[in-house]
Amino acid sequence: MDIRSRLGLRPVINVSGTMTSLGASSVATPVIEAVAEMLPQFVEIDDLQRKASVAIAAACGSEAGYVTASCSAAITLTIAATMTGDDPGLIERLPHTAGLRNEVVVQTGHLVNYGAPIDQAIRLAGAHAVPVGAATEAHGYQLAAAIDEHTTAALYVVSHHTVGYGLIPLEEFIEVAHGKGVPVIVDAASEYDLKRFIAAGADLALYSAHKFLGGLTAGIVAGKKALVRAAYFQNAGIGRGMKVGKEGIAGAIAALDQWQHRDHVAVRARERSYLSSWEQALNRLPGVRAQIEADPTGNPLERLKISLDPRDARTTAWDLADALAHPHDGSQPVIVRDHEVELHYFFLDPCNLHAGEAPVVLARIVAELQHAREAREPLVTPFHQRDARRTAARRNWPD
Ligand SMILES: *Cc1c(COP(=O)(O)O)cnc(C)c1O
């Protein structure tokens, strides 16, 4: 029996992507095996992290690396590293930063929320963000002007959450920061390309082990040896509450290994076949336009963008997304990718689908759309009420 039913949990189908709120990703079998083997054993964690450093260095083309609790933790701890170096006294002093450089320059269009505000991950170390430029326009001269004797690091964020145009490209960002002697940290939590940011000159590149890599929940830090060491040493300070266990470290090593051996071509072909079959079927329905779209940050993956015209579909994109997640008739919940849904579209992300789920997703969408067409009144609620509805539904957690 599926552990979800045993625990009384809804058997959700994830066409949203690698979302923390849904359990990130489906952990790859070789990772599960490595973790199960590691769990009963005792190991010397410094040595296990040494092995992780070698694996990360090979995968990312960096000098060194280590594993922490999450990419969010990696942001906090690498910024801490730029402030304290490997000085144990300073490490214990954080988050008090009097007398230390404690400003982090970051483009305003990069100040995202990935489940928590990124500027808070900076503040947790005792530093604070200095925004550069406007939300949709930033220039190298603004970055140069924002850097002074208080600047400890420059943070660059790669994500579909960031503003996708008008900002300083990575190469120029690194050139300006390095010209002023400031290290560059790249938050690449969700990026497939493990080598690109280090190769471009970033001092540190940070990844989530539990997103596309299919590892346990953990964060991967890759970069210059002295900075990686200083970040690792934060475990004797603010990093203690963000520690990763032997299972997370072994899981990250195994995830990097299986990623390099995964048949990426076959995976893409399978995902493409799901997308094409959904696209063809959905484009036949009134008020629906479906088209395959490339990933906005250049990851080698595609999603299906489903746009609704509420007059013909007799429902909106957000009402459909909510109906799929909370079926009125007891069918299987389907969670779509809906962070831009007020623009009348959502996406289907096939990266976490299990065998047999693709036809269920299609059948559920077709059924909900038919239900809307046959309803006496259009199933249309004002978008501005959706947030309040969702907040209210959660307010009394856990009951
Ligand atoms: C997911 C994400 C994070 C947070 O990563 P965790 O490992 O889940 O803490 C940070 N930045 C970006 C851009 C992300 O997509």
Side-chain angles (χ1 to χ4, degrees):
M1 194 180 183
D2 184 330
I3 186 167
R4 296 179 298 184
S5 345
R6 242 170 34 237
L7 294 174
L9 300 171
R10 305 197 310 153
V12 293
I13 295 181
N14 176 12
V15 272
S16 179
T18 48
M19 314 303 286
T20 289
S21 60
L22 291 176
S25 57
S26 174
V27 175
T29 306
V31 179
I32 296 173
E33 286 166 3
V35 168
E37 246 188 283
M38 182 57 83
L39 277 169
Q41 305 297 347
F42 292 99
V43 288
E44 291 157 287
I45 294 291
D46 278 352
D47 283 343
L48 183 57
Q49 287 277 26
R50 261 190 198 100
K51 300 299 175 195
S53 180
V54 173
I56 293 167
C60 301
S62 61
E63 289 176 15
Y66 89 107
V67 182
T68 182
S70 64
C71 188
S72 191
I75 295 168
T76 303
L77 299 177
T78 52
I79 285 165
T82 65
M83 294 191 291
T84 65
D86 61 3
D87 181 331
L90 293 179
I91 287 169
E92 286 190 15
R93 177 136 76 80
L94 294 187
H96 291 295
T97 56
L100 300 176
R101 293 168 172 252
N102 63 0
E103 292 184 357
V104 178
V105 288
V106 52
Q107 299 185 75
T108 304
H110 282 187
L111 287 170
V112 298
N113 183 315
Y114 44 70
I118 196 163
D119 83 283
Q120 188 180 37
I122 297 168
R123 283 185 283 120
L124 268 175
H128 61 268
V130 172
V132 174
T136 56
E137 184 178 332
H139 300 280
Y141 72 84
Q142 294 168 327
L143 176 62
I147 295 175
D148 62 18
E149 71 278 12
H150 304 295
T151 310
T152 189
L155 178 65
Y156 189 97
V157 182
V158 187
S159 168
H160 66 275
H161 290 303
T162 65
V163 173
Y165 57 91
L167 301 188
I168 307 168
L170 178 68
E171 292 70 18
E172 185 185 357
F173 189 88
I174 292 174
E175 195 179 303
V176 172
H178 283 178
K180 297 253 177 181
V182 170
V184 173
I185 302 169
V186 177
D187 171 5
S190 235
E191 298 309 294
Y192 274 55
D193 194 330
L194 295 171
K195 291 220 160 83
R196 178 176 138 216
F197 305 105
I198 294 294
D203 299 86
L204 292 158
L206 318 177
Y207 297 88
S208 295
H210 49 273
K211 291 185 177 170
F212 62 91
L213 285 170
L216 301 199
T217 296
I220 291 174
V221 174
K224 299 263 167 65
K225 193 174 283 183
L227 283 170
V228 170
R229 180 184 295 128
Y232 179 52
F233 286 0
Q234 305 298 322
N235 283 349
I238 60 169
R240 176 65 185 202
M242 309 173 197
K243 76 176 177 188
V244 64
K246 60 192 172 187
E247 66 283 358
I249 307 168
I253 295 171
L256 288 170
D257 184 62
Q258 73 86 29
W259 181 250
Q260 268 146 62
H261 295 106
R262 191 170 90 139
D263 188 347
H264 293 278
V265 175
V267 171
R268 282 212 73 190
R270 189 179 64 223
E271 293 178 358
R272 198 34 136 100
S273 77
Y274 298 154
L275 292 169
S276 306
S277 66
W278 290 335
E279 183 187 37
Q280 279 173 31
L282 291 172
N283 271 325
R284 287 198 281 267
L285 301 177
V288 182
R289 201 176 70 243
Q291 63 200 121
I292 296 175
E293 275 206 1
D295 178 69
T297 66
N299 286 317
L301 60 90
E302 294 164 323
R303 302 184 179 92
L304 190 68
K305 179 178 182 179
I306 300 176
S307 309
L308 286 199
D309 179 338
R311 283 161 308 192
D312 295 335
R314 302 189 84 239
T315 189
T316 65
W318 54 91
D319 287 300
L320 176 56
D322 291 349
L324 290 165
H326 301 282
H328 59 276
D329 60 359
S331 32
Q332 203 170 358
V334 172
I335 317 289
V336 302
R337 189 175 182 88
D338 65 353
H339 53 275
E340 300 163 79
V341 78
E342 68 265 46
L343 301 175
H344 294 283
Y345 58 77
F346 58 74
F347 294 90
L348 301 182
D349 186 324
C351 76
N352 273 311
L353 274 184
H354 290 125
E357 289 181 338
V360 181
V361 171
L362 178 62
R364 289 278 294 109
I365 296 174
V366 169
E368 292 296 349
L369 285 168
Q370 186 178 350
H371 177 68
R373 281 199 306 278
E374 290 168 357
R376 204 169 314 186
E377 297 292 326
L379 300 180
V380 171
T381 62
F383 180 74
H384 69 268
Q385 289 170 2
R386 188 182 190 227
D387 219 27
R389 202 160 67 222
R390 295 173 131 201
T391 309
R394 198 157 181 262
R395 182 146 38 225
N396 292 326
W397 184 95
D399 299 319

